[in-house]
Amino acid sequence: DCPTLELSQALIRRYLPTERREHPAHFDAHATATVVVSLCDPGDYVGGYYAQPSADAASARYASLDVGDAFCHGHDLRHGVRVLSGARYSLVLWFTPRAHRFRRRRTSTIPPWHKEAAARGEADALYNVASRDASEAARRASSGDVDGAARLAARAADGHERAAEAGSADAMLNVGVLRYNSGDLAGAAACWREAAQRGKGNACRYYARCLTRGEGVCEDRAAATRWLKRGAAAGDASAAYSLYLAGVDGEKHLAAAAASGHAGACVDLAK
């Protein structure tokens, strides 16, 4: 269906030692297709662009790209960038259907490709639609549209519940936050544990916090440390930094957190 697509946006991204070091796993919800063209030699950096088919960080696979090589994928592929050392430059091209003048920054517009996938019950699409509703709710709240914000926030919450039930670990994390904020600590812990078991790094950290504080579960600091280690192994910089602060393999976890661009870790490493 490529003849029906047109270039909607293009930009050059860079990852430098003193600037951005990673772009966590995400979906390009605003584009039907994405093309990433490498602008540097693979020997210039360690890490790079990766595809991650599931929420489990262990499913991530790095793309080996020479100068001028392109990696193409659809809107439904979770992907990210992590540069552990060196500098990386790339050209990013986003394509949308010629008939759909979708504009990336209009959070009130849900892309039709996500609507269609969500209607089929696809977990990631349900999550992306709910996330867009949540973003629009926040925008309306900041502009003073209280009623509109409340309406969209309720729809987003329902959407995240549906996505979580369909198996989205990303949605499980958000449902856990909603339950925690409503006072349902046991419900929050259960959501975060399920997402953590599916390999979501920040969910491991959230569940570890429950175990440390005894919120919704019995206090178990040894188990909390094990979950933080799983989170750090999954690439969550804050989990690694928490282990450093706790004195667990301090130098190793401080270096890992700093390599991912964690501000506090970078400051402590520089001392």
Side-chain angles (χ1 to χ4, degrees):
D1 206 24
C2 289
T4 69
L5 299 180
E6 66 180 8
L7 180 65
S8 62
Q9 195 170 1
L11 60 100
I12 291 178
R13 279 221 170 111
R14 67 185 188 186
Y15 295 82
L16 302 179
T18 57
E19 298 178 359
R20 184 181 200 174
R21 300 308 282 159
E22 73 172 309
H23 191 177
H26 63 284
F27 297 96
D28 285 344
H30 53 279
T32 305
T34 297
V35 177
V36 177
V37 183
S38 176
L39 300 179
C40 53
D41 188 275
D44 292 343
Y45 60 89
V46 174
Y49 194 86
Y50 63 85
Q52 185 178 313
S54 75
D56 189 345
S59 70
R61 295 293 182 271
Y62 284 94
S64 178
L65 301 173
D66 287 321
V67 177
D69 283 353
F71 187 92
C72 311
H73 62 82
H75 64 87
D76 54 353
L77 179 66
R78 183 186 286 99
H79 60 282
V81 177
R82 181 177 297 117
V83 178
L84 301 176
S85 65
R88 177 181 179 274
Y89 294 82
S90 63
L91 170 65
V92 182
L93 307 171
W94 286 314
F95 293 85
T96 55
R98 189 171 293 123
H100 181 64
R101 300 291 178 176
F102 178 73
R103 292 294 175 263
R104 184 184 180 206
R105 297 191 182 282
R106 287 180 55 196
T107 58
S108 59
T109 304
I110 296 174
W113 44 92
H114 281 311
K115 284 185 179 179
E116 293 165 5
R120 294 192 297 268
E122 295 181 14
D124 289 334
L126 287 166
Y127 163 73
N128 280 313
V129 169
S131 295
R132 202 157 189 90
D133 280 340
S135 295
E136 178 63 9
R139 188 191 70 80
R140 292 199 185 186
S142 65
S143 66
D145 182 4
V146 177
D147 291 339
R151 204 163 44 246
L152 278 166
R155 192 168 80 180
D158 178 67
H160 277 125
E161 289 279 1
R162 290 173 58 209
E165 290 171 3
S168 168
D170 300 291
M172 291 172 193
L173 180 77
N174 290 344
V175 171
V177 172
L178 291 170
R179 292 183 180 176
Y180 186 89
N181 290 340
S182 71
D184 180 7
L185 302 186
C191 285
W192 291 333
R193 179 182 174 85
E194 178 66 21
Q197 289 176 327
R198 292 171 182 257
K200 192 158 180 63
N202 49 355
C204 293
R205 170 166 44 89
Y206 282 28
Y207 184 57
R209 185 182 65 183
C210 291
L211 289 165
T212 299
R213 299 176 178 178
E215 294 181 331
V217 291
C218 294
E219 183 179 322
D220 189 336
R221 292 180 177 271
T225 298
R226 290 195 296 271
W227 280 106
L228 281 175
K229 287 181 177 180
R230 286 184 64 169
D236 185 68
S238 292
Y241 188 61
S242 294
L243 288 166
Y244 156 70
L245 293 177
V248 180
D249 294 329
E251 291 186 6
K252 168 188 169 182
H253 288 118
L254 177 62
S260 292
H262 189 285
C266 290
V267 170
D268 286 350
L269 191 62
K271 290 179 179 178

